[in-house]
Amino acid sequence: MHFNTYGGNGAALSADLVNAARFTPEVITPLLTRNEMLRAELTPAQADELGRWARRLDPVFGETDVETQLTLVNDLLAITAATPYISTHDGRGPHLHFFAHGADIVARAKDTTAGGLAMAICFSDGRRLGRCDRDGCRTVYVDTSRNGRRRFCSLACANRVNVAAHRARALAQDF
């Protein structure tokens, strides 16, 4: 069985928050739900707060200096400081929670993202938290590929880079 942690839904939620274009309840509530956050309804003020949190998550992705990346995530963990625990709520199998019982959605999202990024770093030396290599693209991702060599956020970005490289080579051969 292939079991891939890399921060689980916490790391994925972190990437989705960083990549979000707008921080409104209409945009962020479905994003939280998609990342398995329960009771994800937000107020506009809570959505704004998650926007500020996303700006703190952003530098972790694509950071190549391990010590810097560790410091960034440790700073996030210091803010959240929740005690992890194992839960089996709502008919789900055992899974790790990083947030306190009764915490509001913003606290739960912060705790989950900080914990997820910490797990991703511990299980992959941080190399699985990437930023797209295409010039002009700032999209971040969690690399869950088998070989851990992902460079682009999407097939579209990879194709753009590869097509541009192919055209440059063809043009160079013509001269």
Side-chain angles (χ1 to χ4, degrees), residues 31-112:
L31 182 148
L32 293 169
T33 301
R34 188 171 56 249
N35 283 280
E36 302 179 17
M37 298 296 292
L38 301 176
R39 301 177 315 281
E41 299 76 26
L42 292 168
T43 66
Q46 289 173 317
D48 285 341
E49 188 173 347
L50 285 178
R52 288 187 297 278
W53 182 250
R55 288 190 290 280
R56 295 203 63 164
L57 299 172
D58 180 81
V60 175
F61 289 88
E63 176 57 57
T64 56
D65 180 69
V66 175
E67 290 303 316
T68 300
Q69 193 178 47
L70 294 178
T71 298
L72 291 167
V73 173
N74 279 329
D75 289 348
L76 296 171
L77 289 168
I79 292 168
T80 62
T83 303
Y85 64 95
I86 299 171
S87 178
T88 58
H89 63 85
D90 297 318
R92 296 180 181 181
H95 59 281
L96 200 55
H97 276 266
F98 294 97
F99 50 81
H101 284 289
D104 76 349
I105 185 60
V106 172
R108 290 186 287 124
K110 286 180 177 182
D111 293 347
T112 298

Side-chain angles (χ1 to χ4, degrees), residues 8-26:
N9 69 310
L13 174 58
S14 298
D16 283 350
L17 285 170
V18 170
N19 292 330
R22 292 183 305 123
F23 285 86
T24 63
E26 297 78 23

